[in-house]
Amino acid sequence: MKKIVVLTGAGMSVESGLKTFRDADGLWEEYPVQQVATHEGWLQDPTLVTNFYNMLRRKCWGVKPNEGHRLVAELEQKYDVTVVTQNVDNLHEQAGSTKVIHLHGELMKVCSSNDPDDPRYQQLLTPDNCEVKPGTKAGDGSLLRPFIVFFGEAVPNITIAAEECQQADIFIIIGTSLNVYPAAGLIHYVRPGVPVYLIDPNPITAGSNVKQIQKGASEGMKELMQLL
C-alpha cells in the first residue's frame, strides 16, 4: 500500500470558518502574539492566556470539518495516510483521519506548565467541558496551561514528522505558505522523485518538482482525487 503524507496549514480550516492567525482579520488582531502565544506572555498573565484559549475552544467546537478534511480522510481507503498538521484544531480527527501528528499542539488538550510533554498530566477537554478556570492546577501542582507549542518553544513532534516524510510515496501540502519553520522544512525530507502536490489558492514558489493546484482545500482535494 502506497504511503501518503499530507502536510496541512491554516488554509485547511478556513472553509470551516476558523480564521487563520496571520491574516489581516486573523485571530491575533485583538491580542498581541507576545501576550497569548509565548512563554513570557503565559508567565506574565496566565489568566489572560487561559481565557484566550477558552474562547478559541468555544469557537472551535462551533465549526465542522469541511469537504477538504473529509477527502483527506477518504484517502485512507486506498493508501496508508499520515496527516502532519500545523493546526491546533481537531477537524482532521473529526473528519475521520486516524493518524494525525500535531506540530503546534492541540487546542482541546491542557497540560502541566512545568512539563507540557508529560502525558500523565495531559487532559483532553470535551465540548461540554471545554473551559479551564484560571488558577486550575495540573496533577503535579503546576498551573494547567494550553497544550500549545508557544512561539519560541521547541516543536517536539518535528522529528516524528520528518521520519514520516522520508517514507512518503506521495506528498501533499494543503493551505500552508511554507514560510513557517520548522514545518516548512519538511518538504526537504521527501525523497527525490516523489510526486509533490501543493493545494493553495495563492501562487507559491516551491521548487520544480511541485505541482500546484491553485484552489482552496475542498476544490483542490476534489481535483487531486481525480489525478490520483
Side-chain angles (χ1 to χ4, degrees):
M1 193 183 261
K2 281 192 167 179
K3 182 177 183 68
I4 291 183
V5 175
V6 186
L7 173 65
T8 67
M12 184 83 223
S13 298
V14 166
E15 290 168 44
S16 293
L18 284 181
K19 289 179 174 180
T20 65
F21 283 108
R22 287 179 172 74
D23 285 354
D25 64 342
L27 289 168
W28 296 133
E29 67 170 341
E30 295 141 49
Y31 298 86
V33 172
Q34 287 71 22
Q35 266 185 357
V36 292
T38 63
H39 191 63
E40 292 71 31
W42 165 256
L43 293 176
Q44 199 173 349
D45 194 345
T47 298
L48 174 84
V49 176
T50 298
N51 285 331
F52 175 77
Y53 288 95
N54 283 339
M55 181 248 329
L56 285 192
R57 274 184 220 107
R58 284 195 301 273
K59 277 189 177 169
C60 207
W61 280 123
V63 301
K64 294 275 179 279
N66 59 56
E67 193 169 5
H69 290 109
R70 287 192 290 275
L71 290 172
V72 167
E74 209 176 283
L75 288 170
E76 292 191 17
Q77 292 170 13
K78 292 183 181 169
Y79 301 93
D80 171 15
V81 182
T82 299
V83 176
V84 177
T85 187
Q86 300 172 69
N87 299 337
V88 295
D89 61 57
N90 62 355
L91 294 173
H92 280 298
E93 288 91 340
Q94 281 189 48
S97 288
T98 57
K99 276 173 73 180
V100 184
I101 298 169
H102 284 269
L103 292 179
H104 297 158
E106 295 176 62
L107 184 58
M108 296 307 162
K109 287 184 179 174
V110 284
C111 58
S112 148
S113 46
N114 275 349
D115 183 3
D117 296 316
D118 189 329
R120 289 176 301 174
Y121 307 119
Q122 290 169 5
Q123 297 174 27
L124 183 64
L125 302 174
T126 56
D128 49 0
N129 178 29
C130 70
E131 298 199 20
V132 175
K133 209 171 150 199
T136 308
K137 300 260 171 76
D140 62 355
S142 70
L143 283 179
L144 265 186
R145 68 162 252 191
F147 186 58
I148 298 289
V149 178
F150 289 146
F151 283 96
E153 289 184 331
V155 178
N157 282 341
I158 197 72
T159 312
I160 305 163
E163 285 166 6
E164 292 287 329
C165 293
Q166 284 172 330
Q167 296 165 28
D169 298 307
I170 300 168
F171 190 62
I172 302 168
I173 303 162
I174 308 173
T176 174
S177 57
L178 295 178
N179 285 334
V180 180
Y181 284 85
L186 289 172
I187 194 168
H188 303 305
Y189 288 90
V190 178
R191 299 189 310 268
V194 167
V196 178
Y197 298 95
L198 182 125
I199 297 171
D200 199 280
N202 305 310
I204 291 170
T205 316
S208 54
N209 63 327
V210 179
K211 177 178 172 50
Q212 181 170 6
I213 298 171
Q214 213 169 322
K215 292 182 176 175
S218 296
E219 289 305 314
M221 270 306 293
K222 277 187 207 163
E223 187 172 318
L224 182 59
M225 296 298 255
Q226 302 292 322
L227 289 171
L228 293 176

